[in-house]
Amino acid sequence: MKIVFAGTPEFAVKPLEKIVENGFDVVGVITQTDKPQGRKGILTPPPVKQTAERLGIPVLQPEKIKDEITAVKSLGGDILITCAYGQILTQEVLDCFPCGVWNIHAGLLPEYRGASPIQSCIVAGETQTGVSIMKTELGLDCGDILLIERTQIDDKETYGELSDRLSMLGAEGIVKALKILETGEYTLTPQTADGVNVYRKIHKEQAKIDFSKPAKEIVNLVRGMNPAPVAYTELEGVKINVYLAEPAPLLDGEELAKNGEVLSDSVKRGLVVKCGDGGVKLLQVQASGGKRMNGGDFLNGRKARKGQVFIC
């Protein structure tokens, strides 16, 4: 079975490596075009391309895969494995692969369809997630499921940390799936119509902290936006990024403070802010143009003072 792998970001690197390590015949890789990176706009190949070149696998980088059917067919693949590729596949693309197209989806289906399952499940306060290996159809993440690998979410785990774990879980899952598919004997599970949720790409405005919300919701938002796009607020006209936070108890009388109000100048207590159901401690912050630092240092540098109010 000749495999073509389609993926783009770092998340897709471990699955590609694991497929090759297990002796499967990867005849080609499809990935997005090189993009400018950094302040200098240096043209940089995506992580999957860099990995494919290191492994000696031919790479195809179509601007639009639907317009490059001949090139896709020329790779000679029997099966296409996709993982965070980033382009919509048409029926013509699906028809290029006699053994089908199979996707590594970083979430439980059908509850977490769409482009942001990892961030969205953290923000929602889920305690469990996983990776779904599904047969690709024309609809969005609606194909029948071959297998699901589940994992618990630690209550302090960030989007970046969980993404790394799910990448490895996806790598292990796709190897297991390919071994099943090679036998030709497998059962697919159709997705139920109940519980379907579609989560679109996260935009920066969704990362703004609302201090009228309960502490746990704020903490989950911060976790789900770390390392990108990063949760943020504003203090005295200065944008403040928040990378880590935790619920914090209030002292007597502090329940009368405004939501968003800084409750203490104590470096030992840290940067505690009033929120909807109590307090939330901002553990790691960064003022616009400044360095990332812990909340105590932020107070010590007089970048925040008791009584000031973060904009909700």
Side-chain angles (χ1 to χ4, degrees), residues 130-194:
V131 171
S132 304
I133 309 297
M134 51 163 283
K135 188 167 187 179
T136 300
E137 298 178 359
L138 285 181
L140 181 64
D141 297 331
C142 63
D144 293 347
I145 297 170
L146 178 63
L147 62 86
I148 290 178
E149 300 285 343
R150 298 177 185 271
T151 185
Q152 295 298 116
I153 305 173
D154 184 84
D155 62 4
K156 294 183 179 179
E157 200 163 21
T158 66
Y159 163 45
E161 293 165 344
L162 183 57
S163 182
D164 287 345
R165 285 208 302 115
L166 290 180
S167 176
M168 181 55 72
L169 196 64
E172 295 166 354
I174 194 59
V175 167
K176 187 185 296 185
L178 285 169
K179 290 177 180 178
I180 293 171
L181 292 171
E182 276 189 328
T183 69
E185 298 179 3
Y186 55 87
T187 301
L188 298 178
T189 303
Q191 294 188 46
T192 64
D194 298 329

Side-chain angles (χ1 to χ4, degrees), residues 253-284:
E254 289 182 340
E255 67 277 0
L256 301 176
K258 297 177 183 177
N259 289 331
E261 184 174 339
V262 179
L263 298 177
S264 172
D265 283 330
S266 167
V267 174
K268 184 177 180 180
R269 186 182 181 197
L271 184 54
V272 178
V273 179
K274 174 69 170 59
C275 65
D277 67 346
V280 59
K281 183 186 288 188
L282 309 186
L283 298 171
Q284 193 176 88

Side-chain angles (χ1 to χ4, degrees), residues 24-155:
F24 291 100
D25 185 11
V26 182
V27 297
V29 161
I30 303 173
T31 189
Q32 298 274 43
T33 56
D34 298 358
K35 297 289 193 302
Q37 299 288 334
R39 292 183 179 180
K40 295 184 179 180
I42 298 173
L43 202 62
T44 305
V48 164
K49 178 183 179 181
Q50 296 178 45
T51 303
E53 290 179 337
R54 173 170 54 81
L55 296 172
I57 304 170
V59 177
L60 183 65
Q61 292 180 276
E63 286 281 353
K64 294 183 178 180
I65 191 171
K66 66 179 182 179
D67 297 332
E68 299 289 345
I69 299 301
T70 300
V72 172
K73 288 181 177 179
S74 73
L75 294 172
D78 300 311
I79 186 171
L80 176 65
I81 303 300
T82 63
C83 181
Y85 171 48
Q87 288 195 36
I88 299 296
L89 305 185
T90 62
Q91 188 62 52
E92 214 174 358
V93 174
L94 301 184
D95 291 343
C96 292
F97 300 94
C99 295
V101 177
W102 302 82
N103 183 50
I104 305 168
H105 180 74
L108 300 179
L109 294 172
E111 297 94 333
Y112 281 90
R113 294 181 183 178
S116 61
I118 306 176
Q119 290 165 292
S120 298
C121 76
I122 292 175
V123 172
E126 298 284 6
T127 58
Q128 185 183 82
T129 185
V131 171
S132 304
I133 309 297
M134 51 163 283
K135 188 167 187 179
T136 300
E137 298 178 359
L138 285 181
L140 181 64
D141 297 331
C142 63
D144 293 347
I145 297 170
L146 178 63
L147 62 86
I148 290 178
E149 300 285 343
R150 298 177 185 271
T151 185
Q152 295 298 116
I153 305 173
D154 184 84
D155 62 4

